[in-house]
């Protein structure tokens, strides 16, 4: 299913509107697929979830994303930035990003508190996604 680094699960909540969720998830997939160093795909909604993990709900569409190559910035930073840009195109867009049992919801109109929570999330998972940042870089 993937090569390389850790795997994220990306879910686009739409309040039960499965057609809208599928459309938005496919659009997010297309956006992320164009990014260098990332590979994305659709979770198999019909398959069993891994032991001890929640599966996607019936009719719910979710993506997985992973790195394919070493990137200059940590992979989580690249992925989160792309998701934030995608969400910003429409203020009602949301994406729930989950990795290693930790998750964050990113919205199209983040306030200061959400921006802080996203930074804290990235700090918590930064050890899971690639080379350490180069502190000597400007």
């Amino acid at each position: 299913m993937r090569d390389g680094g850790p795997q994220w699960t990306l879910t686009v909540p739409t309040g039960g509107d499965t057609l809208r969720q599928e459309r938005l998830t496919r659009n997010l997939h297309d956006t992320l697929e164009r990014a260098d160093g990332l590979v994305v795909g659709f979770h198999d909604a019909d398959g069993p979830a891994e032991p001890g993990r929640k599966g996607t709900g019936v009719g719910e569409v979710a993506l997985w994303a992973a790195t394919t190559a070493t990137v200059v910035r940590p992979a989580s930073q690249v992925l989160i930035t792309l998701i934030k840009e995608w969400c910003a195109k429409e203020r009602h867009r949301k994406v729930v990003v989950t990795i290693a049992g930790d998750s964050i919801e990113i919205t199209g109109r983040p306030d200061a508190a959400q921006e802080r929570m996203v930074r804290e999330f990235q700090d918590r998972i930064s050890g899971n996604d690639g080379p350490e940042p180069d502190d000597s870089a400007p």
Side-chain angles (χ1 to χ4, degrees), residues 1-3 7 39-44 50 64 66:
M1 179 160 87
R2 66 180 178 92
D3 265 348
Q7 183 175 338
V39 62
V40 293
F42 292 93
H43 273 293
D44 181 8
E50 294 176 31
W64 57 266

Side-chain angles (χ1 to χ4, degrees), residues 84 87-88 90-93 106-112 114-115:
K84 287 167 69 175
C87 286
E90 182 185 318
R91 71 182 201 159
H92 298 293
R93 287 183 179 181
I106 298 172
T107 65
R109 283 222 143 151
D111 58 16
Q114 186 191 25
E115 289 291 344

